[in-house]
Amino acid sequence: MSHRIILDVDTGTDDAIALMVAALSPDIELVGATTVNGNVHVPVCTENTLRVFDHIGVKDSIPVYEGMAIPMVRPNFVRESPSLIHGEYFDLPPAQTAKQQQHAVDWLIETYMQSDGDITLVPVGPLTNIGMAIQKEPRILPKIPELVIMGGGHEVGNMSPSAEFNIWVDPEAAKLVLNCGRPIRLVPLDATHRALVSTEDVEQLRALGTPAGDIAAMFISTRISGYDMTQPMSRLGAAPVHDALCVCAIIDPTIITTKFINVDVETKGELTDGRTVCDVYHRSKSEPNMHVAFDADAPKFVRMLLEILGRRR
Ligand code: BDR
Ligand code: CA
């Protein structure tokens, strides 16, 4: 069965791999991509997304809509200097294809309102576009069958000791989206850090000899150097590819192991702003509201990347 999805991205090296997995997998129909401020400024996210689609030959079939440039409530989070893990503009030729003219938030609303309720929403960046769409047109909610979200962390933070980047950038949007009442699968750092991709895996991706394999190897090499330098994982020479794990979980849900628990977002914490508060021991009176991944099958993840990124369009 093919899953219809919309991918909301802040492209970003791991977003790029998520986009390629979604565009090339025979099990996914990628209806469109929306971009949001996060890893890089939103126009750069859009250009990077278009460059990736051009490179793998899907440029005419998957529309790209640009979205929010700043968070919903807070005055600003805009990354000022390129990170070692994402850089800024991808080292690929300038995009030949243009973005769509409509704003991503309006396109999301229009697309969901006209849909049969069969498009899974997959945000793998800050939740600003999704929060704005829900706030502007709450009637889209019953049309969203499920959200599969990369974000948050229980035992791990990467932006602060408490918080993960996507949630930390726009905590108010995240709070609104995580409490929206629709079915949610959350893929936090606890799972993505269990699915590391190594230098040896990069060599296998490169050896595929496909456009997607080539640039996945380039992006993951950059990620491994960046992680080794700034946030070493359980072993050197390996890095998480968060957003791609999230997309792979749609194709094969057994790639992650989840618990059904209540999660909320801290928006007022002095030390814990943007933390996903995961009620793993059912200490609150709140009902479970999402399936949260705490583990992932790393060998299966690498096998899926090799199989899907070995494909051509
Ligand atoms: C998340 O933050 C971004 O930097 C990545 O693209 C991923 O979506 C991981 O914390
Ligand atoms: Ca991302």
Side-chain angles (χ1 to χ4, degrees):
M1 190 190 78
S2 177
H3 304 270
R4 305 189 78 210
I5 74 167
I6 291 172
L7 199 49
D8 185 71
V9 285
D10 59 329
T11 318
T13 49
D14 59 327
D15 304 79
I17 296 164
L19 285 160
M20 294 193 288
V21 168
L24 294 172
S25 167
D27 298 316
I28 287 187
E29 181 198 339
L30 182 54
V31 176
T34 50
T35 62
V36 66
N37 168 59
N39 288 321
V40 283
H41 297 200
V42 74
V44 185
C45 300
T46 307
E47 171 67 16
N48 282 345
T49 303
L50 292 164
R51 285 185 188 187
V52 168
F53 282 167
D54 278 6
H55 180 81
I56 63 170
V58 298
K59 57 184 176 194
D60 296 322
S61 48
I62 306 170
V64 178
Y65 296 83
E66 187 166 295
M68 297 298 293
I70 54 169
M72 270 180 88
V73 175
R74 300 190 184 214
N76 229 335
F77 166 83
V78 180
R79 208 194 276 278
E80 289 310 338
S81 50
S83 90
L84 285 175
I85 291 166
H86 297 287
E88 197 186 18
Y89 284 103
F90 289 162
D91 189 13
L92 292 170
Q96 299 298 305
T97 320
K99 68 178 180 186
Q100 303 294 314
Q101 286 309 305
Q102 195 176 14
H103 193 281
V105 171
D106 295 326
W107 180 73
L108 283 166
I109 292 171
E110 191 179 290
T111 304
Y112 273 104
M113 290 308 288
Q114 290 173 1
S115 80
D116 293 332
D118 61 345
I119 306 173
T120 300
L121 185 52
V122 189
V124 296
L127 288 153
T128 318
N129 285 339
I130 316 304
M132 288 297 290
I134 293 171
Q135 190 177 68
K136 201 167 168 187
E137 183 46 275
R139 288 181 303 161
I140 64 171
L141 280 171
K143 295 280 202 167
I144 305 175
E146 186 185 20
L147 295 101
V148 184
I149 300 172
M150 192 283 129
H154 178 56
E155 292 193 342
V156 201
N158 61 1
M159 200 58 205
S160 76
S162 278
E164 180 277 333
F165 179 81
N166 288 343
I167 308 296
W168 181 89
V169 168
D170 196 341
E172 284 76 17
K175 194 174 184 70
L176 196 160
V177 174
L178 296 195
N179 287 296
C180 74
R182 299 304 299 154
I184 294 179
R185 258 184 294 165
L186 187 71
V187 182
L189 298 176
D190 306 75
T192 64
H193 285 197
R194 307 275 295 184
L196 302 181
V197 180
S198 69
T199 310
E200 295 75 41
D201 302 327
V202 166
E203 286 320 312
Q204 290 197 64
L205 284 164
R206 193 169 284 121
L208 292 171
T210 56
D214 284 348
I215 62 171
M218 172 177 90
F219 292 137
I220 299 174
S221 297
T222 305
R223 296 182 65 75
I224 292 173
S225 327
Y227 271 91
D228 281 357
M229 267 188 273
T230 60
Q231 301 173 52
M233 293 285 106
S234 52
R235 60 195 155 111
L236 288 175
V241 189
H242 317 278
D243 300 347
L245 180 70
C246 190
V247 173
C248 285
I250 295 162
I251 301 167
D252 182 351
T254 67
I255 200 167
I256 51 174
T257 310
T258 60
K259 285 183 191 164
F260 189 44
I261 59 170
N262 184 272
V263 180
D264 207 339
V265 178
E266 179 58 84
T267 56
K268 297 187 174 69
E270 188 184 339
L271 301 174
T272 54
D273 235 9
R275 178 170 181 76
T276 43
V277 178
C278 298
D279 189 8
V280 281
Y281 295 113
H282 308 290
R283 296 293 87 192
S284 73
K285 295 199 173 58
S286 311
E287 290 296 315
N289 58 352
M290 65 192 72
H291 296 270
V292 181
F294 285 96
D295 201 359
D297 184 335
K300 188 182 274 187
F301 180 45
V302 172
R303 281 200 302 277
M304 285 181 78
L305 291 180
L306 289 167
E307 197 275 314
I308 298 166
L309 301 177
R311 293 173 176 267
R312 295 172 189 273
R313 279 283 284 264

